[in-house]
Every structure is written in C-alpha cells, then in structure tokens.
Amino acid sequence: MSDSRPIGVFDSGVGGLTVVAALRRRLPQESVLYLGDTARLPYGTKSPETVRRYSQRNVEFLASRGVKGVVIACNTASAVALDSLVEEVPIWGVIAPGAECAANLTHGRVGILATESTITSDAYGRALRSLDKGLEIFSQACPLFVPLIEEGWLEDAVTEAVAQRYLAPLVAAQVDTVVLGCTHYPLLAPLIGRLMGPRVQLVDSAVAVVDRLAEDLERSQKLAGGESDSSADNHYCVTDGGERFRRIAGEFLGDPGISLEWVEVL
Ligand code: DGL
C-alpha cells in the first residue's frame, strides 16, 4: 500500500526549510506542502497561548489541503503547542526525536540551544530527563541567531562573536552533546561545531524528526509509491512576504524556482 498525499510541514517562516531539506534527502519520493507563517514570525518570543492558537490554525489549514500528516518544523511550536493540538491527521513535533537522538549520543552532559520560548518551556529538558534522569542539562537561549541567519551571515565575524558569547557557558560546562533546538540553527552547524570543538556532537532535530517520520510512514504503509523524486510535487505557502521567502528558500534548498503561494490563515 502507498499514500501519495503530501506531507504538511509548517514553521513560523523559512526555518522549517531545514526539515524540508532533510525530507528531500531521506524521502525524495514524498510531496511536501509547506506553510511558512511569515506574517506572524517570530514565534520564539511570543506567549505559549499565542503560539498554540497560531499552530492550531496552521494545522487546520494544512489538513484542509489534504495532507496525510503534519510535521511541526518549528521547535517553539513543538515545545508549547504539540500537546494541545486537535486534528484528525497524525502530527510529528521535533522535540521528542531530537531529545531521543541526544540521549542516545551523550555521555551525560547535554547543551540545548533554542529560542527564548523553547528554553522557557523546558520542553527539551523534560524530554531528556524522561529518557535519562541522570543527565546534566545546560540550556542557552540564542535570540540573535535567527535574524543573523536570515540575513545570510552564516560565516561572519559578527555571528562568530555572538556565537562565542552564547556558547561560552556550554563550553565551560564541558557538554559533550549540543541540541540545535531551533529550525534555523542547523545552518550554523559548521560554526557551532568549530567553536564547541571536535569532541562535541551536534544534534540536528530536523534530521531526527524526518527519521522518525520515515519509520512511522513505513510502519503504517503510508509512504508515497514512487521510486524517485520525479513524482514528488513540492508547494510552498506563505502568509506574507513572498519574495523574501523565495530568496531565502533559494539559499536553504539550493532551489530558486519554488512554487509559491500567498495564503491567509486566520
Ligand atoms: N522556527 C522557530 C523555532 O524553531 C524560530 C523562529 C521564530 O522565532 O519564529 O523555534
């Protein structure tokens, strides 16, 4: 059996394209319907109530377009909204797969980098402690990373100085594993890896959630039938600012010609 309906993916903006990139690598035959809620970005500084409301609308929008399931690519939304969402389609969040991957890799000292809301929610901390009570967990909010990444300053002296400051407490704590707990941060993985040193392992939650998704779709016989990406149809919806999204998506995915639609999600 197979299921050719698209996989819905939403994020507050462009950051969830790191999940789409991971999806294209692992499941190239799957079609993706992406929603970037660019009109209401950022989620990472908003209250949990507001992020829950936006997330519910996003899931309803994707379900109304006939997706077979929804991946919440946004760490903030996964952290504060996943448990409260009401929908008929299956939903995957990034926190549990990312935490499991970190718990499997670590020797006991885990650092978490994320937005302020994700850190305040302690979602990664709770997920990690439920897997292993003995873990030492060190959390660091990095609010300046998202605008620097969206500016395209991935290998820049300013970004390096900011990263050094954010990472200093994790270096001092001698963590052995760092969770990149925000959709954008995998784009800084080379810089973060360099600053943390070669003995520290980085966990990309985007890759972790796609691994989980692939296993679940296979188990439930809901993978798309095609052998290759030739049958995959990827479509991108944004709630504002299409041209900016197209530019950044070109950089994230190496694909300047994406199919883009402006939508209202109320
Ligand atoms: N997508 C958000 C996250 O992963 C980062 C951007 C935002 O603050 O909306 O937490």
Side-chain angles (χ1 to χ4, degrees):
M1 280 209 335
S2 67
D3 187 338
S4 60
R5 289 177 296 165
I7 297 167
V9 177
F10 86 78
D11 179 46
S12 52
V14 292
L17 294 174
T18 52
V19 171
V20 176
L23 247 167
R24 281 180 163 192
R25 283 193 302 271
R26 174 81 199 255
L27 298 169
Q29 74 280 16
E30 297 292 335
S31 297
V32 173
L33 176 64
Y34 185 90
L35 173 63
D37 190 11
T38 41
R40 302 190 279 206
L41 174 102
Y43 283 12
T45 50
K46 295 204 166 70
S47 69
E49 293 71 26
T50 299
V51 174
R52 276 184 211 123
R53 190 157 40 87
Y54 293 171
S55 302
Q56 181 64 41
R57 298 288 167 272
N58 295 343
V59 171
E60 284 165 9
F61 169 81
L62 290 167
S64 76
R65 294 276 185 116
V67 297
K68 62 183 167 191
V70 173
V71 179
I72 306 180
C74 178
N75 282 256
T76 305
S78 298
V80 305
L82 179 61
D83 294 341
S84 67
L85 292 171
V86 183
E87 206 28 77
E88 287 158 24
V89 293
I91 301 177
W92 290 265
V94 282
I95 305 286
E100 270 170 42
C101 183
N104 287 336
L105 287 174
T106 186
H107 299 296
R109 301 175 80 76
V110 184
I112 298 160
L113 303 174
T115 63
E116 284 172 278
S117 298
T118 301
I119 295 297
T120 305
S121 76
D122 193 32
Y124 273 109
R126 281 183 281 122
L128 282 162
R129 283 190 296 273
S130 76
L131 295 164
D132 182 347
K133 277 202 280 296
L135 293 177
E136 300 249 39
I137 298 164
F138 304 86
S139 301
Q140 178 66 50
C142 310
L144 294 175
F145 274 174
V146 167
L148 287 167
I149 292 165
E150 296 213 350
E151 202 59 34
W153 293 6
L154 305 183
E155 289 289 345
D156 185 280
V158 172
T159 311
E160 181 156 349
V162 170
Q164 253 163 358
R165 189 139 165 191
Y166 284 147
L167 297 178
L170 302 191
V171 173
Q174 297 188 316
V175 298
D176 59 68
T177 301
V178 170
V179 179
L180 305 175
C182 170
T183 48
H184 289 61
Y185 299 177
L187 292 169
L188 289 184
L191 174 64
I192 293 170
R194 230 175 24 249
L195 294 175
M196 292 307 299
R199 290 186 308 130
V200 175
Q201 318 207 56
L202 303 185
V203 173
D204 182 341
S205 294
V207 173
V209 72
V210 169
D211 285 345
R212 172 71 59 83
L213 173 73
E215 287 160 19
D216 290 349
L217 290 179
E218 186 165 10
R219 194 175 314 116
S220 57
Q221 299 189 311
K222 290 215 159 131
L223 286 167
E227 292 277 293
S228 71
D229 55 357
S230 56
S231 51
D233 178 20
N234 298 323
H235 185 65
Y236 300 83
C237 298
V238 288
T239 52
D240 193 25
E243 283 320 305
R244 179 178 163 76
F245 185 91
R246 190 188 294 282
R247 175 178 63 76
I248 302 178
E251 289 161 16
F252 268 53
L253 299 173
D255 182 358
I258 61 168
S259 149
L260 191 64
E261 179 187 359
W262 179 82
V263 296
E264 222 167 351
V265 177
L266 298 172

